[in-house]
Amino acid sequence: MKKILILLLFLSVLLNAKTITATYKISYGIFGELGVAKTTLEVFEDKTYKIKVHAFATGFAKFLSSNKEEFYESYGVIKDNLLIPNKYITITNNDYKKRKKTYTFDYKKNQITLEKYEKKLITKYNEDFQKIKTWEENSSKEFSNFFAQNDLLSLFFNITQVVPSFEKGNNYTFKAIGANKENGKLDIIIPKDEAYKELEESLDTKNKKFIVSIHQKIFSSSNGELFISLNQEGFCDKAVLKDVLIFGDITGEMINFKINKG
């Protein structure tokens, strides 16, 4: 399910809201439901924010992925109606492996520190050839290859603020921690003509639509191009990764949405 979450997170911020929650179902062609993703945005009175995403495999996908689940978190401040991250965390777990990455933003030095932690279940044999299972841990600290003023979550929640126009034919490039691992590059594409017709047919909604390219392979999509639809509140209500292998599209669709103004 890694990177499929990008399908679900193109959300704008309602800064007068206390808590916003959305739940999405992820499905794949003839295989049906793959998993569920739950997203929560909390805005606090001191102009700080917290975003949490929890995604987990369901059904047959849960079995194939050894109970895989993923967590994405962004913490920061709100300035001029934009979310500005201070920390971005990704966690991936299954029955045999646990990984955590923590990115810390330093705006004075234009530098991002990356702390990695990994825990693996290792099977060894003792002198009597009996299996012994133990957890092996590793950690490291380094600097990111590039600096960006957004992580993937903050950018997606900022999207209607930072994109000047969704008119057909307009394209925009951004950088975000969590997008392309080499340079953070991410493109917002509003196609026109035949390409826009394909976008309309794939999403089958009357809402605002565009394509996201993270320039990183997702299954058979070499550039990771995702078709996105925004509802009237500016939240993603449907997203499609087209023609994955021979089995059809991966689709993320909103099934629950709630705003609590506190």
Side-chain angles (χ1 to χ4, degrees), residues 88-109:
Y88 177 63
I89 300 171
T90 69
I91 302 171
T92 304
N93 296 333
N94 65 19
D95 293 339
Y96 306 101
K97 186 181 296 184
K98 305 179 187 297
R99 290 178 175 173
K100 181 178 180 180
K101 294 181 179 180
T102 302
Y103 299 85
T104 303
F105 292 72
D106 186 334
Y107 292 95
K108 292 182 179 179
K109 296 182 179 179

Side-chain angles (χ1 to χ4, degrees), residues 131-155:
K131 284 185 179 181
I132 300 175
K133 293 185 176 182
T134 59
W135 286 95
E136 183 178 274
E137 299 181 74
N138 291 289
S139 61
S140 63
K141 188 174 182 180
E142 61 191 66
F143 294 112
S144 175
N145 296 332
F146 61 92
F147 180 77
Q149 295 185 346
N150 274 289
D151 59 52
L152 203 56
L153 297 183
S154 67
L155 176 62

Side-chain angles (χ1 to χ4, degrees), residues 148-207:
Q149 295 185 346
N150 274 289
D151 59 52
L152 203 56
L153 297 183
S154 67
L155 176 62
F156 291 166
F157 276 91
N158 287 333
I159 197 66
T160 57
Q161 300 286 331
V162 297
V163 172
S165 172
F166 285 91
E167 293 293 323
K168 296 177 185 177
N170 287 343
N171 300 327
Y172 307 95
T173 298
F174 300 98
K175 290 173 69 175
I177 294 294
N180 183 286
K181 61 183 178 181
E182 298 299 327
N183 55 26
K185 187 177 179 182
L186 180 152
D187 289 337
I188 306 296
I189 303 165
I190 302 92
K192 58 182 179 179
D193 302 328
E194 291 300 319
Y196 191 82
K197 289 181 181 179
E198 181 185 0
L199 182 63
E200 284 189 308
E201 291 172 358
S202 298
L203 294 172
D204 192 27
T205 73
K206 296 181 180 179
N207 299 326

Side-chain angles (χ1 to χ4, degrees), residues 21-56:
T21 58
T23 303
Y24 298 85
K25 179 178 71 174
I26 305 170
S27 57
Y28 176 28
I30 62 175
F31 294 102
E33 183 177 309
L34 286 179
V36 173
K38 297 183 178 181
T39 304
T40 303
L41 165 66
E42 293 182 85
V43 176
F44 303 101
E45 293 181 357
D46 62 353
K47 298 297 183 182
T48 60
Y49 76 86
K50 176 171 64 176
I51 305 170
K52 288 191 174 183
V53 178
H54 178 205
F56 50 92

Side-chain angles (χ1 to χ4, degrees), residues 203 205 207-209 227-231 235-239:
L203 294 172
T205 73
N207 299 326
K208 187 180 296 181
K209 306 173 187 69
F227 291 7
I228 304 291
S229 168
L230 299 183
N231 66 14
F235 282 72
C236 173
D237 58 359
K238 189 174 182 180

Side-chain angles (χ1 to χ4, degrees), residues 242-259:
K242 291 292 294 179
D243 301 325
V244 177
L245 301 178
I246 62 175
F247 300 110
D249 305 333
I250 291 181
T251 301
E253 195 159 9
M254 181 187 287
I255 58 175
N256 187 38
F257 179 66
K258 184 178 179 181
I259 300 175

